[in-house]
């Protein structure tokens, strides 16, 4: 144990000398929560206070009531420089058909394949549908018919979602960023302490000392895991501070990162950090150079990212709930939503995560006995 502790201290000391590499691994942990908060604040601002929509209305004089209705919904005809590529054309017989209680035709011209216009098009369509419904109700009232006649079924929706569960839907996306921070924070150290040491010819020197390859592997995994957990802790602390500035109350719920959640996240993140460290070191040792290790890890990290996204967006099949990363993600999301905590699912996925980490560690221990791995042949 003393040997392993000394080796871990050596790995951390070597990593601390390269401050740029250390900060590069922690930039994600610091920047990702801030970027998420900025994105949430922007989205909430657009939802609660949508900006005025300026469109082109041809022959607006034929439908003054419609134009006034749209203007009350912040949709109007602006200057040419302010208009979006959306045109509303009022037909020639619009006024006559409205007077005769006949369908009056209007044409909406826009490029629906343009992603920047899609939200504006949907907003305009909803406003036109509301205006059509109001005109339909007025026509029925003019004939002495209660508009409720055309609504044979009235659906009452009782939303059982609590403030925490609604906030959990948003925080589920944030958990994905937190879990991914485990993989990003220790990646630079994993490459430097494996492929980097081999390029500096210090790996062979290290193996020449009276230290077993098992102790070396354990020490390297421990060092990378420490960096990964520091990154996760930074992400949690910054998220707790930054999310307090997001006006969640505008959406009718709150998002709270409680101390209990932080403790649970750290406990769940530890097995993931061990697996991430073992995986990154194993791949880096298999690579022949530092740059090659970076390329391989970029591809390998797609797998945990896909598992995290599948759990975050609830598109994962049931079999994934027992696998590493996705199983822990689903358990954390269930916890923050106030649902029944899947302890068995979390336990099995965590054990599977540790089994994979141990298997990769044994593979590294065996590979360090090969001259091809030690000298990059």
């Amino acid at each position: 144990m003393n040997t392993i502790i000394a080796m871990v201290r050596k790995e951390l000391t070597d990593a601390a000398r390269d401050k740029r590499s250390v900060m590069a691994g922690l930039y994600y942990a610091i920047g990702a929560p801030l970027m998420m908060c900025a994105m949430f604040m922007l989205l909430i601002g657009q939802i609660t206070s949508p900006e005025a929509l300026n469109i082109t209305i041809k022959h607006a004089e034929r439908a003054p009531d419609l134009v006034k209705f749209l203007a009350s919904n912040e949709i109007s005809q602006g200057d040419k420089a302010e208009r979006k590529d959306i045109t509303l054309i009022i037909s020639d017989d619009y006024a006559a058909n409205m007077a005769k209680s006949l369908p009056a035709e209007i044409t909406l011209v826009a490029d629906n394949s343009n992603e920047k216009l899609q939200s504006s098009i949907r907003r305009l369509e909803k406003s036109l549908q509301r205006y059509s419904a109001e005109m339909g109700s007025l026509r029925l009232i003019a004939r002495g018919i209660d508009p409720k006649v055309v609504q044979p079924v009235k659906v009452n929706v009782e939303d059982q979602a609590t403030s925490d569960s609604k906030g959990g839907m948003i925080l589920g996306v944030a958990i994905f960023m937190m879990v991914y921070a485990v993989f990003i924070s220790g990646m630079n150290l994993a490459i430097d302490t494996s492929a980097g040491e081999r390029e500096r010819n210090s790996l062979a020197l290290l193996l020449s000392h009276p230290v077993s390859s098992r102790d070396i592997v354990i020490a390297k995994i421990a060092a990378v895991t420490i960096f990964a957990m520091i990154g996760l802790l930074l992400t949690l602390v910054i998220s707790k501070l930054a999310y307090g500035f997001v006006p969640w109350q505008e959406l009718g719920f709150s998002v709270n990162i409680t101390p209990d959640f932080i403790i649970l996240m750290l406990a769940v993140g530890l097995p993931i950090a061990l697996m991430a460290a073992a995986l990154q070191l194993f791949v880096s040792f298999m690579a022949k150079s530092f740059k090659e290790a970076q390329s391989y890890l970029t591809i390998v990290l797609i797998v945990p990212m896909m598992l995290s996204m599948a759990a975050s967006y609830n598109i994962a099949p049931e079999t994934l709930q027992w696998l590493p990363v996705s199983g822990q993600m689903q358990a954390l999301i269930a916890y923050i939503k106030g649902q029944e905590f899947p302890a068995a699912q979390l336990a099995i996925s965590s054990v599977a995560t540790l089994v994979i980490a141990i298997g990769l560690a044994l593979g590294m221990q065996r590979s360090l006995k090969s001259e091809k791995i030690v000298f990059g042949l």
Side-chain angles (χ1 to χ4, degrees):
M1 182 58 67
N2 292 333
T3 302
I4 294 174
I5 293 174
M7 289 292 299
V8 171
R9 189 183 298 113
K10 172 260 180 189
E11 296 291 345
L12 295 177
T13 302
D14 290 344
R17 291 195 183 103
D18 190 355
K19 294 181 174 59
R20 289 186 177 182
S21 179
V22 171
M23 290 307 301
L26 299 179
Y27 279 153
Y28 177 90
I30 298 172
L34 299 177
M35 292 178 63
M36 289 287 292
C37 289
M39 182 186 69
F40 286 142
M41 293 177 71
L42 180 63
L43 290 175
I44 291 174
Q46 291 180 347
I47 293 173
T48 56
S49 301
E51 62 178 4
L53 175 58
N54 296 314
I55 63 174
T56 301
I57 304 178
K58 292 186 177 181
H59 309 296
E61 69 280 358
R62 297 172 182 172
D65 291 338
L66 174 60
V67 173
K68 290 180 181 178
F69 179 85
L70 293 176
S72 66
N73 289 276
E74 300 294 331
I75 302 175
S76 59
Q77 183 162 227
D79 297 334
K80 186 176 181 180
E82 298 175 343
R83 295 175 190 170
K84 295 182 179 292
D85 297 328
I86 301 176
T87 303
L88 197 63
I89 304 175
I90 311 298
S91 62
D92 297 337
D93 55 353
Y94 179 90
N97 288 336
M98 288 293 288
K100 297 176 182 178
S101 296
L102 296 175
E105 184 178 343
I106 56 176
T107 304
L108 174 60
V109 181
D111 183 4
N112 205 25
S113 64
N114 189 337
E115 295 180 355
K116 295 181 179 179
L117 294 180
Q118 287 178 358
S119 60
S120 299
I121 293 172
R122 288 194 297 269
R123 179 180 168 187
L124 178 57
E125 288 176 341
K126 290 179 180 179
S127 297
L128 292 173
Q129 290 170 1
R130 287 198 299 270
Y131 180 78
S132 177
E134 288 187 12
M135 291 300 101
S137 298
L138 291 175
R139 288 180 178 182
L140 291 174
I141 293 173
R143 288 163 174 76
I145 302 174
D146 190 344
K148 295 180 181 179
V149 172
V150 296
Q151 298 177 351
V153 178
K154 183 179 180 181
V155 180
N156 295 321
V157 179
E158 294 184 2
D159 190 1
Q160 295 183 341
T162 62
S163 176
D164 291 337
S165 63
K166 290 179 180 178
M169 297 172 63
I170 298 295
L171 200 54
V173 182
I175 290 178
F176 160 71
M177 305 296 291
M178 296 174 185
V179 172
Y180 204 58
V182 173
F183 290 88
I184 298 297
S185 300
M187 184 174 67
N188 284 346
L189 176 58
I191 298 174
D192 185 70
T193 193
S194 53
E197 279 195 355
R198 182 170 53 204
E199 287 189 352
R200 295 190 297 269
N201 296 321
S202 59
L203 180 60
L205 180 62
L206 179 63
L207 290 169
S208 66
H209 287 75
V211 182
S212 66
S213 58
R214 177 181 64 85
D215 293 344
I216 294 175
V217 169
I218 293 175
K220 290 183 180 295
I221 291 177
V224 177
T225 301
I226 289 173
F227 265 73
M229 293 302 293
I230 291 174
L232 177 58
L233 181 60
L234 274 175
T235 303
L236 289 167
V237 172
I238 295 175
S239 297
K240 181 175 178 57
L241 297 175
Y243 284 5
F245 296 97
V246 180
W248 304 110
Q249 64 277 3
E250 297 289 339
L251 299 179
F253 59 81
S254 61
V255 173
N256 297 317
I257 299 180
T258 62
D260 291 341
F261 172 75
I262 293 177
I263 294 173
L264 177 63
M265 187 73 206
L266 291 173
V268 172
L270 181 58
I272 299 177
L274 288 169
M275 185 191 72
L279 176 63
Q280 291 166 350
L281 287 168
F282 182 84
V283 173
S284 298
F285 274 124
M286 293 298 106
K288 293 184 179 181
S289 65
F290 191 95
K291 291 184 177 180
E292 188 176 339
Q294 287 180 319
S295 301
Y296 287 167
L297 283 182
T298 302
I299 299 173
V300 169
L301 290 184
I302 294 176
V303 177
M305 181 178 68
M306 292 178 63
L307 290 173
S308 299
M309 292 182 64
S312 298
Y313 295 102
N314 198 24
I315 58 177
E318 293 185 359
T319 53
L320 290 183
Q321 67 181 346
W322 310 106
L323 296 182
V325 182
S326 60
Q328 286 101 326
M329 283 282 299
Q330 289 185 346
L332 289 168
I333 292 173
Y335 175 80
I336 61 176
K337 287 185 177 181
Q339 300 173 355
E340 183 179 357
F341 186 69
Q345 173 184 332
L346 178 60
I348 293 175
S349 60
S350 298
V351 169
T353 302
L354 292 174
V355 169
I356 293 175
I358 293 172
L360 291 170
L362 293 175
M364 274 188 289
Q365 180 182 345
R366 185 175 181 180
S367 66
L368 288 179
K369 298 177 181 179
S370 171
E371 293 182 355
K372 292 183 178 181
I373 299 299
V374 175
F375 297 101
L377 302 177

